Amino acid sequence: MNRTRVLVPGKINQRVIDRLAERFEVVRIENADPALVTTQMQDVTAIAVSGRVPAALMDALPQLEIIANFGVGYDGVEIAHAAAKGIAVSNTPDVLTEEVADTAIGLLLNTLRQLPQAEQWLRQGRWSRDGAFPLSPLSLRGRGVGLYGLGRIGLSIARRLEAFGVSIAYHTRSPREGLSYAYHPTLVGLAAAVDTLIVIVPGTVATRRTVNAEVLSALGNNGVLINVGRGSTVDERALIQALQSGVIAGAGLDVFENEPQVPDALMALPNVSLLPHVASASVVTRNAMADLVVDNIETWFATGKALTPVPETPFTRRAR
Ligand code: NAP
Ligand code: 8YV
């Protein structure tokens, strides 16, 4: 009997491949280029992906039913096209929430207290040679933290921040019920009210480059920007200028506009802490994400429903 074929464009966590191979025929192509789709791949009904799925790749696969995205953020998938074609898209919410919130707090402390630089000072023998590491100009003490995004991960970050004794405010399109954090209907209003801004919104057309020169200026010269959402949300050129000229005091970034490229100008700055998109990158959390990718595909074919479909594609298999 022919086994259901699942296409994997580009690299993905090995556990996804191993688990898929138990039940499906896995077909791999180097990247999401539709030109790599051969006539033998015309019966592919599912994609498992960590990265991009352009509209043209969907169009090259006439039997495609489901795209299972490795990651809660699915900005790499042309979602409007999938929705218009009746292709279900699933993502990996919840299983990474606490890990990403932990990393956001780590990045915040690294940025403020220069802990990576202090460790380098020790490792380079400078503690014994030159004396104590210089005092960090910035501290979390007395700060007001604003969350741009208060969904699953944003709320987990806020809960952690409560224990640090800082004030907490947020901006989203609609206020969340039952929370005591101050709500700001505009991003610039939030930035003006706080000195620390944590970005944890999805990368969408509506959030694109919304952290711009005006928002950074409102954050002020003691301001610190932390981005664990998507690089597309921040105007990177405006950020570099703001950091170079003292418009804000520092930044901690896990995500960038053009990953894995990080601008030299950003790397050269002493007042930034940079991570290579690792917020969910522990073995335990990536395993849970891999399992959810495969479980979505298995459940789709077994029951006709994805486990964690994205809101734009609430399809069942029969009613697509
Ligand atoms: P979520 O539960 O869907 O939360 C999204 C939040 O963003 C909500 O509070 C939503 O509130 C707000 N939001 C969305 N669009 C907005 C807009 N245009 N203006 C203002 N607020 C907006 O998602 P999540 O699970 O917390 O994940 C959030 C994002 O984090 C993901 O989409 C992904 O891009 C990123 N992420 C990054 C990493 C990493 O490795 N760095 C790991 C995991 C996730 P409203 O709908 O009320 O506006
Ligand atoms: C992953 C992420 O690094 O879930 C997300 O949205 O950004 C991260 O957890 C990424 O999806 C891996 O491709």
Side-chain angles (χ1 to χ4, degrees):
M1 199 182 82
N2 281 347
R3 295 211 297 174
T4 300
R5 294 179 131 196
V6 180
L7 180 70
V8 179
K11 292 184 185 152
I12 202 163
N13 184 289
Q14 186 58 37
R15 188 179 175 101
V16 175
I17 302 294
D18 295 344
R19 276 207 49 205
L20 282 175
E22 291 167 12
R23 300 237 182 140
F24 303 102
E25 186 180 335
V26 179
V27 182
R28 302 196 72 170
I29 53 176
E30 204 178 328
N31 57 50
D33 183 351
L36 299 175
V37 174
T38 64
T39 44
Q40 287 81 44
M41 296 176 199
Q42 293 299 302
D43 58 353
V44 159
T45 44
I47 287 179
V49 70
S50 175
R52 290 174 56 246
V53 182
L57 183 61
M58 299 178 208
D59 292 343
L61 298 165
Q63 308 292 322
L64 185 61
E65 298 179 21
I66 180 166
I67 299 168
N69 184 65
F70 184 89
V72 66
Y74 48 97
D75 42 296
V77 179
E78 281 203 44
I79 193 66
H81 197 72
K85 292 195 78 154
I87 298 167
V89 177
S90 65
N91 65 345
T92 61
D94 302 317
V95 295
L96 45 57
T97 294
E98 306 303 330
E99 196 78 76
V100 176
D102 290 348
T103 311
I105 297 296
L107 183 56
L108 173 66
L109 291 174
N110 280 352
T111 306
L112 293 167
R113 299 298 325 289
Q114 302 182 324
L115 301 178
Q117 295 94 317
E119 182 167 353
Q120 284 310 309
W121 182 271
L122 179 155
R123 286 180 184 275
Q124 289 162 1
R126 296 193 65 184
W127 189 12
S128 53
R129 202 169 62 238
D130 300 333
F133 181 70
L135 305 183
S136 68
L138 304 176
S139 165
L140 185 58
R141 297 303 91 223
R143 282 195 171 261
V145 181
L147 285 144
Y148 178 22
L150 197 71
R152 290 168 291 242
I153 301 171
L155 188 59
S156 276
I157 296 172
R159 295 297 189 209
R160 282 160 175 71
L161 287 170
E162 286 182 29
F164 287 88
V166 294
S167 71
I168 301 168
Y170 71 104
H171 165 66
T172 51
R173 287 166 300 187
S174 21
R176 280 188 76 145
E177 299 286 309
L179 293 174
S180 58
Y181 313 138
Y183 174 70
H184 292 265
T186 65
L187 176 57
V188 74
L190 174 68
V194 301
D195 55 21
T196 309
L197 184 64
I198 301 182
V199 178
I200 187 66
V201 283
T204 62
V205 174
T207 61
R208 185 173 163 74
R209 293 197 178 153
T210 44
V211 180
N212 55 22
E214 186 192 4
V215 168
L216 294 169
S217 171
L219 197 54
N221 62 7
N222 192 36
V224 168
L225 176 77
I226 304 295
N227 189 5
V228 281
R230 281 291 180 267
S232 61
T233 303
V234 175
D235 181 337
E236 217 162 66
R237 284 175 68 169
L239 174 62
I240 291 166
Q241 273 175 8
L243 287 162
Q244 284 171 338
S245 59
V247 168
I248 66 167
L253 309 172
D254 183 50
V255 288
F256 303 88
E257 271 196 7
N258 185 28
E259 296 175 10
Q261 310 306 325
V262 177
D264 289 343
L266 210 43
M267 298 248 230
L269 285 165
N271 50 344
V272 297
S273 186
L274 305 173
L275 294 176
H277 201 148
V278 292
S280 68
S282 68
V283 171
V284 64
T285 295
R286 289 289 170 86
N287 281 351
M289 293 164 64
D291 283 341
L292 189 48
V293 168
V294 180
D295 291 347
N296 265 297
I297 295 177
E298 284 186 357
T299 309
W300 176 261
F301 290 110
T303 71
K305 275 182 162 181
L307 279 177
T308 51
V310 304
E312 295 90 334
T313 65
F315 307 137
T316 57
R317 198 172 177 208
R318 225 157 270 176
R320 282 183 320 121

